[in-house]
Amino acid sequence: MNLLKALFERTGDLKNIELVSISTLGEGIFNHPDFGKSFKMNSLFVSQNVRKIVNSSNGDYIPIFLSEIPILFENNILPLDVALIHVSPPDKHGFCSLGTSVDIARSAVKNAKHIIAQVNSKMPRTHGDGIIHINEINSFVEVDEALPEVSYSSKIDDITMTIGRHCAELIEDKSTLQMGIGAIPDAVLSCLTNHKDLGVHTEMFSDGVIPLVQNGVITNKFKKKHRGKIATGFAIGTRKLYDFIDDNPQVVFLDIDYVNDTKIIRSNPKAVAINSAIEIDLTGQVCSDSIGTYQYSGVGGQIDFMRGAALSEGGKPIIAIASTTKNGESKIVPFLKEVTEYGVAYLFGKNLRQRAHALISIAHPAHREHLEKEVYKRFGR
């Protein structure tokens, strides 16, 4: 947070700075009125606080599986000059922890040319892959600042709880769970108090797992990978959650290309993936990342886990949604927004604007002028 604030204070002085991130927390971080004069957001996931920017001429989005993001860094498809990271203070041996967010951060550290660390006394020290020695860090900024908090359980309403009960009925004892972001996963967890010997292998988790661990429902006894431990890439929740994961050997934070690897996910028996969606058509096709041309979230790890759960012995991929939007519109729709193509284009690692131009280059010549006009209307220059 402090690093970003300091960066945005230099708006106008800096030019052509590309910002790359997945989920970020904190309202108003990116709301500088002159943001576009210095910065361009090239997001790998669209969280609420960058949604407006990503859908403007000052930003874009790269559609990619969460598990594949490290490939972008390692193969220099998306080169990183500087990694801004958030770590715990170093221990007596000089090792800091990436704390709540190992996910793609470890890969960023490995591949960026310069590492700037915000060292926060309130960042929990977590076990797993997120250990980084001070010799790997080029610059330090010390802070004593509370972490951003999100209480998903406070957003649970009657409809969400009903969905949670339906999902809980599908989950067997000894299952291994993945939960996406939002109130529905915590609602599902609150309905699992009578289950036995559940495990957790998930890209992220929140406060909802804590009572199940404390009451012996989550034991991780029957997982084949990281038996006895919760395996995750990152955690978002309240201070209660951050205290729970602090120096807790029951929880391991691992690189996202491992956590979200379908081979690893499927190796656990009865893997259950619980995710949400924006809409589902009558043929069962699911849209989870956009509303028409408006980029709402991102691919994330949903497909990684839905596929991994489908391949797991006794596994179950679950899409859990309310039947209508807040405006009363049906989330079950006749068809998804159509997308067509003519020819072949290499799209891996490209953002939406770059993808559009790549596809236009292989479109029929008779339609290219029209398509270029549509790209201009949507993205600007």
Side-chain angles (χ1 to χ4, degrees):
M1 184 80 75
N2 280 278
L3 293 180
L4 287 175
K5 287 178 179 177
L7 184 65
F8 295 146
E9 285 175 2
R10 298 186 62 195
T11 299
D13 297 332
L14 299 172
K15 300 296 181 184
N16 299 319
I17 304 298
E18 180 181 23
L19 302 178
V20 177
S21 72
I22 50 172
S23 296
T24 54
L25 298 178
E27 296 297 323
I29 304 174
F30 302 94
N31 286 351
H32 196 287
D34 295 322
F35 180 92
K37 291 183 179 180
S38 296
F39 306 104
K40 172 73 177 288
M41 172 63 71
N42 202 9
S43 188
L44 298 164
F45 190 83
V46 184
S47 48
Q48 188 275 332
N49 57 7
V50 299
R51 199 168 286 146
K52 184 176 180 180
I53 292 173
V54 167
N55 286 281
S56 75
S57 60
N58 295 327
D60 214 319
Y61 161 69
I62 300 175
I64 189 169
F65 296 146
L66 193 56
S67 60
E68 293 184 327
I69 292 174
I71 297 173
L72 299 182
F73 303 156
E74 292 160 9
N75 293 345
N76 215 35
I77 298 169
L78 187 60
L80 300 178
D81 294 304
V82 180
L84 305 180
I85 61 174
H86 196 174
V87 300
S88 70
D91 64 14
K92 64 181 180 181
H93 304 291
F95 288 96
C96 302
S97 167
L98 287 166
T100 60
S101 183
V102 172
D103 44 65
I104 68 167
R106 183 67 230 187
S107 180
V109 168
K110 291 177 183 177
N111 292 284
K113 298 171 185 175
H114 193 92
I115 313 301
I116 302 176
Q118 177 173 291
V119 183
N120 190 349
S121 59
K122 290 188 170 62
M123 173 63 81
R125 187 176 190 82
T126 58
H127 294 239
D129 293 336
I131 302 300
I132 176 172
H133 196 271
I134 55 174
N135 290 342
E136 295 182 71
I137 300 171
N138 301 105
S139 306
F140 299 85
V141 176
E142 290 190 71
V143 301
D144 181 29
E145 180 179 85
L147 302 184
E149 297 185 33
V150 179
S151 176
Y152 294 115
S153 60
S154 66
K155 301 176 183 180
I156 296 174
D157 55 20
D158 290 341
I159 291 175
T160 308
M161 186 57 72
T162 300
I163 294 170
R165 286 193 290 268
H166 287 318
C167 291
E169 291 172 0
L170 299 173
I171 298 171
E172 303 174 49
D173 292 343
K174 304 178 183 178
S175 293
T176 300
L177 308 180
Q178 175 261 340
M179 297 79 65
I181 294 176
I184 288 178
D186 271 19
V188 175
L189 292 169
S190 71
C191 297
L192 296 175
T193 54
N194 292 322
H195 282 61
K196 296 178 181 178
D197 290 321
L198 298 177
V200 176
H201 181 103
T202 183
E203 68 188 46
M204 68 83 64
F205 71 95
S206 190
D207 292 60
V209 304
I210 299 174
L212 296 181
V213 172
Q214 294 173 337
N215 295 326
V217 176
I218 291 176
T219 64
N220 295 291
K221 285 183 180 178
F222 291 91
K223 293 169 59 182
K224 290 188 177 179
K225 295 290 185 180
H226 306 282
R227 185 167 293 172
K229 299 179 185 294
I230 292 171
T232 190
F234 63 102
I236 299 175
T238 67
R239 189 67 227 181
K240 183 178 180 180
L241 177 72
Y242 304 145
D243 290 340
F244 170 76
I245 63 176
D246 184 38
D247 197 27
N248 186 345
Q250 289 179 285
V251 187
V252 286
F253 284 73
L254 306 169
D255 288 323
I256 210 65
D257 54 354
Y258 173 86
V259 173
N260 284 43
D261 187 333
T262 55
K263 296 193 299 292
I264 303 301
I265 297 165
R266 69 182 294 186
S267 68
N268 289 313
K270 298 183 180 180
V272 177
I274 305 165
N275 291 278
S276 192
I278 292 172
E279 61 183 17
I280 302 174
D281 77 4
L282 293 176
T283 69
Q285 294 186 100
V286 176
C287 175
S288 297
D289 62 342
S290 63
I291 303 172
T293 60
Y294 188 82
Q295 196 63 45
Y296 189 81
S297 59
V299 177
Q302 182 178 112
I303 303 301
D304 295 328
F305 274 94
M306 297 297 283
R307 183 62 177 158
L311 294 171
S312 165
E313 183 179 351
K316 296 174 183 174
I318 298 172
I319 293 291
I321 62 170
S323 60
T324 61
T325 67
K326 292 179 180 178
N327 297 326
E329 299 175 359
S330 177
K331 288 192 174 186
I332 310 297
V333 296
F335 53 84
L336 302 182
K337 311 302 181 291
E338 297 95 335
V339 178
T340 61
E341 63 176 328
Y342 178 85
V344 178
Y346 184 75
L347 303 181
F348 183 75
K350 289 182 168 61
N351 61 36
L352 298 179
R353 185 181 285 102
Q354 292 165 337
R355 283 175 173 232
H357 287 298
L359 287 169
I360 288 172
S361 71
I362 60 166
H364 191 285
H367 299 289
R368 290 180 186 173
E369 183 178 354
H370 169 70
L371 293 171
E372 289 283 3
K373 289 179 180 178
E374 291 301 314
V375 170
Y376 181 81
K377 284 197 293 185
R378 179 170 177 179
F379 297 113
R381 294 181 181 178

